[in-house]
Amino acid sequence: AQTVATLAKEVDVPELPCLLQYFLFSQLNPDDTCDPEDIPALNLPRHKGKLQVFNSAAAMFYAPSDLSGFGRI
């Protein structure tokens, strides 16, 4: 996806453009105590450029015989 709208369709999150606007507002105005959802949409920043998506994943493995592992001892 190269645009916010295209990415929103790809990941099936139709509210992604609004969420991105809220995020950008919060990042650009860290001292503002207003909830971004209370600000009129016309006053929120918009991202009109291209996007780059980098897929990543994380995995955690443990040995069930490890007595000091997750959830043990």
Side-chain angles (χ1 to χ4, degrees):
Q2 290 191 357
T3 67
V4 176
T6 306
L7 181 60
K9 288 178 185 175
E10 274 186 30
V11 297
D12 195 26
V13 180
E15 64 275 8
L16 183 63
C18 287
L19 294 173
L20 180 59
Q21 285 183 288
Y22 299 153
F23 172 76
L24 290 174
F25 179 85
S26 297
Q27 293 295 303
L28 295 171
N29 304 286
D31 297 326
D32 195 323
T33 58
C34 288
D35 184 344
E37 292 186 41
D38 295 335
I39 296 175
L42 293 174
N43 295 339
L44 291 171
R46 298 181 192 281
H47 178 76
K48 295 181 182 178
K50 290 186 177 183
L51 296 178
Q52 290 185 327
V53 177
F54 298 93
N55 297 317
S56 66
M60 184 183 337
F61 299 93
Y62 71 95
S65 60
D66 182 1
L67 295 177
S68 62
F70 182 76
R72 306 287 175 113
I73 297 184

